[in-house]
Amino acid sequence: MNTDHFSQAIRTAAETGKPLRIRGGDSKDFYGQALAGDVLDTRGYAGIVDYEPTELVITARCGTPLAAIEAELARHKQMLAFEPPHFGADATVGGMVASGIAGPRRAAQGLYYGSVRDHVLGVKLMNGEGEALAFGGTVMKNVAGYDVSRVIAGSLGTLGLILDVSLKVLPCPVASRSLRLALNEAMALSKLCEWGGQPLPIGASAWHDGELCLRLEGADAAVKSAAARLGGEAVPQAEADTYWQGLREQTDGFFAGDAPLWRLSVPATAPAITLPGKELIEWGGAQRWFKTGAPEAALRAAAKQAGGHATLFRAGHAGKDMLSVFTPLEPVQARLQRNLKQAFDPRGIFNPGRLYREF
């Protein structure tokens, strides 16, 4: 399948004013605001375009299954370091970039891996006029002018259709060991803050219900040394793998139930946040999950007071009609967002209202 089908569909939509809903594996339809328009299915445009393990870069088409990407990388003991969740067997690389969601390793302490956008080197995008545009490239030092490829990550398909994407990959850790420590929330946050300033190979962390779990990754000697220094109870590898996978894919028991799931993104140094419901902390304290029926205003106020923002990740029984998924934009942010939308999608046909209702 070539891109002519996409171009024709986009041009027709632009002429008729009928919006398009870009969809790959349908695994992240729950995320974001509205789902509107005729479905533009990307799965037929799939395949790895280029992969040279020694260069640590892989380029793939938007409809390529994420599982296929990870399987190919695993053959060469490499990985997508930001540990993207699938949320379904049919997840695609295009949806991964468009959603911009990362897993437990995203903000590792002492081992900064970064977000999805930190690993996007380049994209080929089809705009609202049906034109294919290329941004970035396949090496880190390739940016001249606007770094559009990073803007696309997390845009939920509102700026254009991702055709191809080039991603930086990294070698898999040589060794991995998980620890479990009994700590209350305040002590866990204090320890995470303390350890964050030290050269420790902490590749993931999670606190819930009085228990802090750490995943150490890296050279065998470094992992063994850190484990001896940090103490705690060693978690059997099979159990640890299940636990971290459960956090990545939100199959862990914490995420069960119909209560709304909120994600608060705050500074790692922020103190404990008191809200009703259940809480789970990741990313060294920078990501705080709340399963709660508390009012939206309370969540946003708590996040703002802590120096961050709140996102309604899963609406649950509350539904999205009465709530805003993302923090409402300030006037300057709204103007920038509107200008971006106008530049890439002047007819407003791509995923209208998916990111913000007004766009």
Side-chain angles (χ1 to χ4, degrees):
M1 178 181 180
N2 58 32
T3 62
D4 291 344
H5 166 72
F6 294 142
S7 181
Q8 182 57 52
I10 291 170
R11 293 176 190 275
T12 299
E15 291 171 1
T16 61
K18 193 169 185 179
L20 293 172
R21 172 185 164 194
I22 302 172
R23 189 179 71 187
D26 201 20
S27 63
K28 299 174 181 68
D29 271 6
F30 69 89
Y31 187 58
Q33 211 73 59
L35 295 173
D38 293 337
V39 172
L40 186 61
D41 195 325
T42 67
R43 290 173 297 176
Y45 190 65
I48 295 174
V49 177
D50 186 50
Y51 173 42
E52 177 49 60
T54 59
E55 298 296 331
L56 297 176
V57 175
I58 190 167
T59 300
R61 292 170 176 164
C62 59
T64 309
L66 183 51
I69 296 287
E70 291 181 327
E72 180 63 19
L73 294 176
R75 289 181 57 241
H76 300 276
K77 297 182 179 180
Q78 294 180 352
M79 65 178 182
L80 296 172
F82 48 92
E83 212 167 7
H86 293 220
F87 297 142
D90 297 325
T92 63
V93 69
M96 176 195 76
V97 174
S99 66
I101 304 173
R105 196 183 281 118
R106 182 258 188 258
Q109 295 163 278
L111 299 169
Y112 182 78
Y113 289 110
S115 64
V116 178
R117 62 170 46 90
D118 294 317
H119 293 77
V120 176
L121 300 177
V123 295
K124 184 180 290 184
L125 186 77
M126 187 163 284
N127 66 9
E129 303 292 346
E131 302 168 329
L133 310 173
F135 302 96
T138 58
V139 296
M140 289 301 294
K141 296 181 179 179
N142 61 5
V143 178
Y146 297 109
D147 195 355
V148 172
S149 55
R150 294 193 179 208
V151 173
I152 297 303
S155 63
L156 289 178
T158 59
L159 298 180
L161 169 64
I162 297 171
L163 296 175
D164 299 352
V165 59
S166 295
L167 299 161
K168 177 177 68 173
V169 302
L170 290 178
C172 294
V174 175
S176 177
R177 183 179 300 190
S178 293
L179 305 174
R180 183 186 291 124
L181 300 89
L183 296 170
N184 62 33
E185 181 179 5
M187 184 59 71
L189 289 171
S190 176
K191 284 294 185 182
L192 289 169
C193 185
E194 175 188 337
W195 295 332
Q198 300 176 11
L200 292 167
I202 300 176
S205 63
W207 178 90
H208 171 58
D209 199 19
E211 190 172 273
L212 175 64
C213 289
L214 303 173
R215 183 173 65 190
L216 308 178
E217 297 179 324
D220 188 59
V223 168
K224 288 180 179 178
S225 175
R229 177 179 172 183
L230 294 171
E233 174 192 356
V235 182
Q237 193 61 49
E239 181 183 339
D241 290 344
T242 299
Y243 176 72
W244 297 113
Q245 182 70 2
L247 294 186
R248 176 181 179 176
E249 298 297 338
Q250 295 189 353
T251 55
D252 183 82
F254 169 82
F255 298 97
D258 291 331
L261 176 65
W262 288 85
R263 179 178 64 188
L264 273 62
S265 180
V266 299
T269 55
I273 298 173
T274 303
L275 288 166
K278 299 191 300 180
E279 180 187 16
L280 187 148
I281 299 174
E282 288 190 277
W283 297 0
Q287 179 164 261
R288 319 266 177 111
W289 296 102
F290 285 92
K291 288 281 289 186
T292 177
E296 176 183 355
L299 272 296
R300 300 208 184 279
K304 185 176 182 179
Q305 184 175 4
H309 61 271
T311 299
L312 178 60
F313 200 78
R314 294 182 188 270
H317 60 66
K320 296 179 182 178
D321 292 342
M322 302 300 293
L323 301 171
S324 296
V325 171
F326 303 103
T327 300
L329 296 172
E330 298 293 337
V332 173
Q333 296 172 321
R335 185 174 71 248
L336 291 173
Q337 185 69 33
R338 187 174 290 106
N339 289 344
L340 273 173
K341 181 71 171 173
Q342 179 64 30
F344 287 97
D345 182 22
R347 310 291 181 90
I349 61 170
F350 290 130
N351 289 8
R354 183 78 188 271
L355 197 57
Y356 296 102
R357 289 194 179 101
E358 58 267 40
F359 303 117

